Structures are given as structure tokens and as C-alpha cells.
């Protein structure tokens, strides 16, 4: 059957064997009959060459899914549907920032992706090369991601809200041959110019990309570097009508890397495979997100985050759905915009974050009733803890079930969630329900590694192998993958989520916050160490501590305590204010506004143990008005008083 696609008949939803009808039964089947379960799921996508082995787990904790199989993510997301439903809507782009709407059906999406693939190839990008995408929420970003996977290049999307230092560290780690960017993004009516940040990042990085493709939206200055920078518009003319065949890659071939924050200042490149990811997403679209070909899916996330990768771009397209890509905020032109879009495009599944709902909660609730939402089956919320009042408010306001799902950049798809496509289970407010099939989730004691009985709080861990779709390693650093994720549960090779959790008597899980120094600001995951490094680079800062503090709107915000070198610069309240603004500006410039602390307090020393460890948890407790616990280990108690004094002002 050379040159023919295998499993063609089984590609469509209707043709896959129905799953057993209970979530518990499917979960048990996925763990106890793992190979058969995932072999069946693999029929959801098209393979060029069938796999020989479902899982190679000969080198724990590294899991290789669908060994020997070749496939292509772009083929499964675009070409396959362009052949069977060319006129069906594929990508709908709505920008309330520039007041523009564009629609692409599968035929035109394929043409755009082909053209971008031709550009990349024409500029020397090939299989395995990295392409860094630093772009706002515009269709060209989606075309470029798909064009990369089409030709076997590895994309690395960097969130447009990050600034030059964050970007430079990612350029150095990914070593891209080419970068794609745009003149600017827009947020709440304000233009965010990208080119200056990009040029500065390239000047800071050791690695220099050979080429940069710039999309000109007419929003901001875009000075071009001759010989390096290429204009997207001119390339479109040059490659108009070009077609590029899909590169059939091994299932384990990296499709992309996505950087995420951890406990060190250096972000980790989460590496994803091709075959396992495609299968996991395709399965999740039916079992978790309940979408069908031809229907519309709407995720309000950003392509810079994992939700954007999995559920703006790949997931909906793998399911033959239309994906709605939105550039704008939930409250402009008014707080009804999201629901207006649901009505207009007959959205069936919508995915957002608790923060967006908390923003809407401050607006007139009449907006929730203004539009016809009868197409909407579910609202999925993820990325941060979903508090009960928020969940209740939106569920009642919209009259649709709200599904909390819990996952991480590392997992790529939900770890804990209701799976309404399998069984309509009851949901409990505050709980993302049960483990998804394939995830062997345990709650373990942080010091002994022992599994805890139901009702007891512990660390949420996953017994490997991790299911298809999860990260395969840290880009370029297998040792870091093992050390970071599989070495913290005593005595056991288990994946730690670094989240506290509890499983109740009914088997429902509750997530209770991070065990490490990662904070979650409006659903954006940030490492406090990265922010500390940035503040420490200020010439008048000797050292600092950054903690995450509970916030009603954003979930958490960063608060910094900095030790200044020259105290005369903070000698009056006015000087302090000015100095605080200066430090915030520095963080904005280096990391981006998403990382800006809500407050920067100045002190002369930090609360530390005798061994020099900064007691961030005690600082955090004080900031949140909680009991800071045992403080006898603090070497100089006056440091605590300084923290208290700062908070009192
Ligand atoms: P990220 O990798 O940016 O998606 O962040 C993952 C982290 O966000 C998790 O480790 C959790 O701390 C938090 N998180 C994600 N989803 C949820 C949820 N549904 N409930 C509570 N915390 C969540």
C-alpha cells in the first residue's frame, strides 16, 4: 500500500468503536489494558505507516508512543478535512482590537498553510529545525504553526506578552533557524509594538536566527534588518499557489516545544511528540469536549499558552471543527462580546479561564442573558483554581454546565476532568472531577511518598508511563526531565505535578495550590525566581524575594520585597513610590507586563534562616494575613517586622 494512507476508513468519529459507557470503566480499561486501549484510540488519526508497537517503555520514565508509525499533525488537522469537507469552516478570526473578521474554510486554510510552508522551506527551514513564533493572535500565527508541523520543523511559540529578556532566553534554548513575528499586537485598544522587543532580544541572545519573517499589520514601526528580515506580504506574493507535501515523521518526532516556568530562573522547553499528541487530542475532543466535525469550538486562550496549542489550533482542527480565534478582551466593546460570538458562530464548546469569568462578574449580569446561547453545551474552565462562587455565578447565569479541568503545560490535555462524552457525571463545585483515561493519578505523602487514603491532603502525582500527548522530555535536557519531574516523590519514580490535592470519598479530586515557587497570575504561570532575577538586575537592588499573594480577581499576584543598596533613594514616601515604579518598569521591559509585581516593597533585610534560606512561605502568609507558622528559625526577627511594617503602609 505504498503511498496510500493507512486506517483511512477509521479516521472519522462514527467509525471508531464506542467506548464503554462509564468514566470509571474507561479509566480502568486504559490502565489495565493499556496497549489495546491506546491502539483503539490511534484509529482516530491517519497514519502513513502503521505503528509496530503501541508503547516502548524500556527506558523509564521516557515513554515512546506508537513506535514505528509515521504520521503528520498538519495532515490530520488540515489536509484530511480539506479532502472530505473543503467548504466547512476551519478558522474564524475575530479581532475587536482592529475591528476585523476573517473566515477560512478547510480549502483556504490548506492553501494558506501550504504557502507558509513554502516560505519556510524557501528560507532554508527543514525537518527538525526550530522556528520561534512570537506573534499576536492573528491567523498568520496559526498558519505558521501548522506550516511547521507540515514540514517537520519544530515550532516554539513565545507568548506575545513576554519581553526581551524572556524572549532572549528562549531563543538561546530553542536555537531557532528562523523567527516569525509581527509589527505589533493590541490589547484593550493599546498597541503593543513587537519589533523593538524582538530586535533587543536577538541582540541579547547568543544564538542568532538566520532569518526573521515579519507580518506587517500596519500597527507599529517595523524597521527591517537587511539580509535577515523578510516581509511576509512580499513572501505571500512570491509563494502564492505553492504547495508543499507533508513530511511524514516518526510518531516520536517533536512537533513543538513550549517554554514554561519552574522553580529555577531558566524556563523549561516542554517537548511534545507528534503521534501521541494527535491521538490524545483527537480522543479528548470527543470524550471531554464533546465536539463534532462541522461544529464550532471557541477557546479564549492565547496561542502562547498550552491551551492555545491544544485547543485553539490542533484539537478542534483534528476533530474537523471550526476554531474561533479571538483577539480582544472579554469586556470590549462591552461585557457581552464573548456571548455575542457564541450566538453568531453557534459555538458548542467554549474554553476559558476563571480569571476571565471573575472579570465578567464585575460587569452587568444582564449581558449573560442578552444573546441566544442555545448552541452552547458546556463551558470549560482551566488554568487556575476555580472558586465556587465564580463557578456558580457563571453556571447559573449562562444556564450551561461548567466543567473545571485541571492540567499543565506538561500534560498537554486534561489530567482531571469530567468526561461528558463518555458519561454525564455529576459535577461538584471546586472539583475538576476525575482522572482522565491514561492518567494513573495518586495523592501521596510529600515526605514518605506513601499513597494517602481518600480525604487526606498530599501531592498529586502520576504513576508513569505518562499517557500519549504528555511531554516526552525537556528540550535538549533529558536529565532535567527526570530530575525535575520524577525525583521529588521519595522512593518512587513518579511524576510530580507540584500541586497539593485531595481525593474525596466519592473519588472527586480537589486541587489546593502549588507545592513549589510557581505562581499563577490570571491563569498565567510564572516562576517567582524569574521575577526575582529581573528585579535583582536593578542597579540599586541587592537582593529580593517575590511571593504569590491571593487576589480576588487574578487568583494570585506577585508581591516583591527588595533590599536596596542605597537607602537614600527611598528616603521619603515620594522617592519610594518613584523607585517602586522604576523597578516595575524594569520587569515590564525585561519579562513583560504579565510578570509585573502588584507591589514592590523596600526593606533593609529579608527574613532568612541561619543557613541563608529566604522564608518565602512566611512572607506569603503575612501578605495574606495568615499565621506565618514557626518563625524561630529566622535569624534576625526584625526582618519580619519590616515585612509587617511594609504591609501596614
Ligand atoms: P500551566 O502549565 O501554565 O497550565 O499551569 C499549570 C498549573 O496551573 C497547575 O500545576 C495548577 O497549579 C494550575 N491549574 C491548572 N488548572 C487548574 C485547575 N482546574 N484547578 C486548579 N489549579 C489549576
Amino acid at each position: 500500500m505504498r503511498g496510500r494512507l493507512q486506517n483511512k476508513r477509521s479516521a472519522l468519529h462514527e467509525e471508531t468503536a464506542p467506548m464503554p459507557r462509564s468514566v470509571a470503566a474507561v479509566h480502568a480499561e486504559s490502565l489495565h489494558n493499556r496497549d489495546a486501549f491506546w491502539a483503539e484510540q490511534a484509529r482516530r488519526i491517519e497514519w502513513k505507516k502503521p505503528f509496530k508497537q503501541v508503547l516502548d517503555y524500556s527506558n523509564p520514565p521516557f515513554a515512546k508512543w506508537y513506535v514505528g508509525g509515521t504520521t503528520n499533525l498538519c495532515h490530520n488537522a488540515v489536509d484530511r478535512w480539506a479532502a472530505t469537507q473543503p467548504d466547512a469552516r476551519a478558522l474564524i478570526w475575530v479581532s475587536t482590537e482592529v475591528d476585523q473578521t476573517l473566515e477560512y474554510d478547510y480549502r483556504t486554510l490548506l492553501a494558506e498553510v501550504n504557502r507558509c510552508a513554502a516560505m519556510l522551506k524557501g528560507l532554508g527551514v527543514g525537518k527538525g529545525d526550530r522556528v520561534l513564533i512570537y506573534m499576536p493572535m492573528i491567523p498568520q500565527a496559526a498558519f505558521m504553526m501548522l506550516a511547521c508541523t507540515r514540514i517537520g520543523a519544530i515550532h516554539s511559540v513565545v507568548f506575545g506578552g513576554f519581553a526581551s529578556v524572556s524572549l532572549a532566553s528562549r531563543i538561546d534554548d530553542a536555537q531557532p533557524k528562523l523567527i516569525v513575528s509581527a509589527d505589533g499586537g493590541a490589547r484593550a485598544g493599546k498597541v503593543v509594538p513587537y519589533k523593538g522587543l524582538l530586535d533587543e532580544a536577538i541582540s541579547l541572545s547568543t544564538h542568532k536566527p538566520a532569518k526573521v519573517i515579519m507580518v506587517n499589520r500596519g500597527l507599529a514601526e517595523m524597521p527591517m534588518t537587511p539580509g535577515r528580515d523578510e516581509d511576509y506580504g512580499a513572501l505571500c506574493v512570491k509563494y502564492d499557489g505553492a504547495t508543499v507535501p507533508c513530511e511524514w515523521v516518526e510518531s516520536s518526532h517533536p512537533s513543538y516545544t513550549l517554554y514554561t516556568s519552574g522553580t529555577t530562573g531558566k524556563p523549561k522547553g516542554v517537548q511534545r511528540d507528534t503521534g501521541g499528541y494527535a491521538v490524545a487530542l483527537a480522543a479528548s475532543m470527543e470524550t471531554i469536549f464533546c465536539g463534532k466535525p462541522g461544529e464550532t469550538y471557541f477557546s479564549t486562550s492565547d496561542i502562547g499558552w498550552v491551551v492555545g496549542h491544544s485547543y485553539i489550533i490542533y484539537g478542534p482542527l483534528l476533530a474537523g471543527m471550526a476554531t474561533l480565534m479571538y483577539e480582544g478582551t472579554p469586556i470590549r466593546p462591552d461585557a457581552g462580546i464573548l456571548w455575542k460570538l457564541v450566538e453568531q458562530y453557534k459555538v458548542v464548546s467554549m474554553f476559558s479561564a476563571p480569571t476571565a469569568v471573575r472579570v465578567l462578574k464585575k460587569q452587568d449580569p444582564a449581558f449573560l442573558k442578552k444573546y441566544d446561547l442555545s448552541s452552547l453545551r458546556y463551558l470549560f474552565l482551566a488554568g487556575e483554581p476555580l472558586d465556587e462562587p465564580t463557578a456558580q455565578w457563571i453556571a447559573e447565569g449562562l444556564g450551561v454546565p461548567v466543567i473545571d479541568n485541571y492540567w499543565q503545560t506538561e500534560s498537554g490535555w486534561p489530567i482531571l476532568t469530567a468526561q461528558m462524552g463518555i458519561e454525564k457525571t455529576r459535577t461538584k463545585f471546586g472539583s475538576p472531577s476525575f482522572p482522565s483515561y491514561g492518567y494513573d493519578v495518586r495523592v501521596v505523602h510529600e515526605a514518605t511518598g506513601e499513597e494517602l487514603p481518600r480525604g487526606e491532603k498530599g501531592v498529586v502525582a502520576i504513576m508513569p508511563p505518562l499517557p500519549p500527548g504528555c511531554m516526552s522530555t525537556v528540550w535538549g535536557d533529558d536529565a532535567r526531565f527526570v530530575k525535575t519531574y520524577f525525583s521529588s516523590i521519595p522512593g518512587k519514580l513518579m511524576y510530580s505535578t507540584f500541586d497539593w490535592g485531595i481525593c474525596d470519598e466519592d473519588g472527586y479530586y480537589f486541587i489546593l495550590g502549588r507545592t513549589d515557587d510557581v505562581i499563577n497570575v490570571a491563569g498565567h504561570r510564572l516562576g517567582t525566581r524569574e521575577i526575582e532575577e529581573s528585579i535583582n538586575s536593578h542597579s540599586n537592588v541587592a537582593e529580593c524575594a517575590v511571593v504569590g499573594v491571593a487576589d480576588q480577581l487574578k487568583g494570585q499576584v506577585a508581591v516583591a520585597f527588595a533590599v536596596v543598596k542605597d537607602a537614600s533613594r527611598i528616603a521619603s514616601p515620594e522617592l519610594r513610590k518613584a523607585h517602586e515604579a522604576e523597578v516595575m518598569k524594569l520587569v515590564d521591559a525585561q519579562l513583560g507586563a504579565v510578570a509585573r509585581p502588584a507591589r514592590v516593597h523596600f526593606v533593609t533585610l529579608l527574613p532568612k534562616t541561619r543557613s541563608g534560606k529566604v522564608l518565602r512561605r512566611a512572607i506569603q502568609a503575612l501578605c495574606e494575613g495568615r499565621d506565618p507558622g514557626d518563625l524561630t528559625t529566622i535569624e534576625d526577627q526584625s526582618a519580619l517586622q519590616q515585612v509587617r511594617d511594609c504591609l501596614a503602609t
Side-chain angles (χ1 to χ4, degrees):
M1 293 268 285
R2 268 179 84 92
R4 295 270 309 278
L5 289 164
Q6 308 292 314
N7 291 342
K8 193 157 193 146
R9 258 178 39 76
S10 61
L12 301 174
H13 286 244
E14 303 81 67
E15 294 174 5
T16 49
M19 286 208 177
R21 295 273 282 288
S22 97
V23 167
V26 173
H27 188 251
E29 157 100 0
S30 74
L31 298 187
H32 302 133
N33 208 357
R34 189 179 56 211
D35 284 13
F37 178 88
W38 286 111
E40 182 61 29
Q41 300 312 312
R43 291 156 57 87
R44 294 176 185 273
I45 69 157
E46 291 183 349
W47 299 85
K48 176 74 170 171
K49 205 166 88 191
F51 48 89
K52 293 199 177 73
Q53 194 183 349
V54 175
L55 170 67
D56 173 2
Y57 194 53
S58 56
N59 181 24
F62 298 90
K64 280 193 173 166
W65 289 95
Y66 305 119
V67 183
T70 61
T71 186
N72 182 284
L73 206 45
C74 178
H75 168 82
N76 278 286
V78 186
D79 298 53
R80 182 176 103 177
W81 302 108
T84 55
Q85 49 173 44
D87 301 319
R89 277 197 296 220
L91 177 68
I92 304 160
W93 177 68
V94 176
S95 172
T96 49
E97 298 292 346
V98 295
D99 281 327
Q100 211 186 339
T101 299
L102 291 169
E103 289 188 20
Y104 301 85
D105 56 28
Y106 274 95
R107 183 191 291 111
T108 48
L109 178 61
L110 178 61
E112 295 285 359
V113 172
N114 257 315
R115 185 159 64 174
C116 285
M119 286 180 204
L120 295 176
K121 284 214 127 175
L123 292 171
V125 177
K127 183 179 168 190
D129 289 336
R130 272 80 58 211
V131 173
L132 191 139
I133 298 176
Y134 180 60
M135 289 177 97
M137 287 285 285
I138 53 175
Q140 290 85 350
F143 305 156
M144 281 295 179
M145 289 167 75
L146 291 160
C148 285
T149 48
R150 183 172 198 83
I151 64 171
I154 302 165
H155 61 69
S156 192
V157 182
V158 176
F159 176 55
F162 284 139
S164 51
V165 170
S166 302
L167 185 54
S169 70
R170 286 153 175 81
I171 293 173
D172 273 334
D173 197 78
Q175 310 224 331
K177 196 168 220 179
L178 183 145
I179 294 181
V180 191
S181 190
D183 57 339
R187 178 118 188 120
K190 234 179 92 189
V191 170
V192 186
Y194 281 22
K195 188 61 168 42
L197 296 174
L198 176 63
D199 284 343
E200 196 185 329
I202 296 174
S203 75
L204 288 171
S205 63
T206 314
H207 172 83
K208 310 289 176 199
K211 288 284 174 191
V212 173
I213 298 178
M214 293 298 303
V215 177
N216 191 355
R217 308 179 69 193
L219 292 180
E221 289 290 305
M222 200 180 83
M224 303 288 271
T225 302
R228 186 196 72 185
D229 296 356
E230 302 278 343
D231 178 66
Y232 179 83
L235 291 171
C236 278
V237 174
K238 182 169 173 191
Y239 291 101
D240 195 31
T243 56
V244 176
C246 286
E247 178 84 36
W248 301 104
V249 296
E250 284 288 323
S251 175
S252 59
H253 179 75
S255 54
Y256 67 77
T257 64
L258 180 58
Y259 287 88
T260 188
S261 303
T263 46
T264 66
K266 189 173 179 272
K268 294 179 288 280
V270 166
Q271 180 177 318
R272 197 89 64 207
D273 75 351
T274 298
Y277 186 52
V279 171
L281 291 188
S284 73
M285 289 309 296
E286 181 187 335
T287 57
I288 300 172
F289 297 104
C290 305
K292 295 191 182 66
E295 295 180 334
T296 306
Y297 190 93
F298 178 20
S299 165
T300 66
S301 185
D302 187 284
I303 47 146
W305 308 117
V306 66
V307 179
H309 283 64
S310 293
Y311 296 112
I312 295 177
I313 308 298
Y314 292 112
L317 296 177
L318 284 166
M321 299 180 78
T323 182
L324 176 54
M325 186 176 186
Y326 174 58
E327 183 186 45
T329 72
I331 51 169
R332 261 174 49 102
D334 61 43
I337 179 64
L338 299 182
W339 319 119
K340 186 176 172 197
L341 293 173
V342 169
E343 176 186 275
Q344 194 172 349
Y345 295 103
K346 299 201 169 32
V347 171
V348 296
S349 292
M350 184 167 166
F351 195 136
S352 194
T355 301
V357 179
R358 288 194 290 263
V359 167
L360 292 176
K361 213 168 140 202
K362 296 175 97 186
Q363 311 285 321
D364 184 351
F367 282 115
L368 299 182
K369 301 282 180 220
K370 193 172 164 194
Y371 297 96
D372 175 7
L373 305 182
S374 55
S375 62
L376 194 62
R377 295 187 194 121
Y378 297 105
L379 173 67
F380 298 89
L381 296 175
E384 55 181 309
L386 174 61
D387 55 288
E388 191 171 330
T390 302
Q392 197 150 10
W393 180 81
I394 193 74
E396 282 168 9
L398 295 179
V400 299
V402 169
I403 313 285
D404 178 5
N405 58 66
Y406 161 80
W407 45 303
Q408 309 182 304
T409 305
E410 289 83 350
S411 69
W413 60 288
I415 299 169
L416 297 172
T417 181
Q419 294 140 60
M420 297 303 195
I422 299 173
E423 182 190 5
K424 304 246 176 308
T425 51
R426 182 170 70 93
T427 55
K428 288 191 186 184
F429 282 129
S431 166
S433 298
F434 321 109
S436 305
Y437 43 86
Y439 288 99
D440 189 357
V441 179
R442 318 272 175 98
V443 178
V444 299
H445 191 280
E446 74 273 24
T448 65
E450 288 307 310
E451 207 178 323
L452 293 170
R454 286 190 170 177
E456 280 189 32
K457 175 184 166 181
V459 178
V460 178
I462 304 168
M463 192 58 96
L466 297 177
C470 288
M471 74 187 291
S472 34
T473 188
V474 171
W475 172 254
D477 201 343
D478 286 349
R480 194 170 175 203
F481 175 63
V482 181
K483 185 162 178 282
T484 304
Y485 296 104
F486 292 91
S487 311
S488 68
I489 311 288
K492 291 195 181 132
L493 187 75
M494 277 184 105
Y495 173 90
S496 176
T497 62
F498 299 101
D499 280 304
W500 297 110
I502 202 164
C503 178
D504 75 4
E505 290 302 331
D506 303 325
Y508 285 76
Y509 283 76
F510 292 79
I511 298 296
L512 307 168
R514 296 284 301 193
T515 64
D516 59 10
D517 293 326
V518 167
I519 62 172
N520 200 318
V521 181
H524 299 169
R525 172 166 156 186
L526 299 166
T528 50
R529 300 299 160 95
E530 279 172 83
I531 306 174
E532 286 176 4
E533 277 180 23
S534 173
I535 295 176
N536 286 339
S537 72
H538 189 283
S539 58
N540 195 37
V541 172
E543 61 173 336
C544 77
V546 171
V547 295
V549 177
D551 180 83
Q552 277 219 324
L553 193 63
K554 298 183 174 175
Q556 278 186 308
V557 290
V559 172
F561 292 83
V563 176
V564 288
K565 292 179 186 160
D566 174 5
S568 72
R569 294 207 41 204
I570 52 162
S572 71
E574 294 73 31
L575 284 172
R576 264 176 191 264
K577 265 259 102 21
H579 204 22
E580 180 175 11
E582 198 178 303
V583 173
M584 287 181 177
K585 217 170 133 197
L586 177 77
V587 177
D588 274 13
Q590 291 192 348
L591 303 181
V594 322
R596 182 198 307 155
R599 284 300 313 268
V600 181
H601 297 289
F602 298 107
V603 289
T604 57
L605 77 168
L606 294 169
K608 286 185 187 176
T609 60
R610 272 175 201 91
S611 58
K613 205 167 175 321
V614 177
L615 286 167
R616 291 183 180 77
R617 289 200 200 295
I619 303 177
Q620 184 190 39
L622 288 177
C623 290
E624 293 182 344
R626 291 185 284 111
D627 174 7
D630 179 14
L631 301 175
T632 49
T633 51
I634 295 182
E635 190 168 25
D636 187 336
Q637 294 289 328
S638 73
L640 269 184
Q641 194 50 45
Q642 287 200 33
V643 171
R644 286 196 180 95
D645 292 345
C646 289
L647 296 172
T649 54

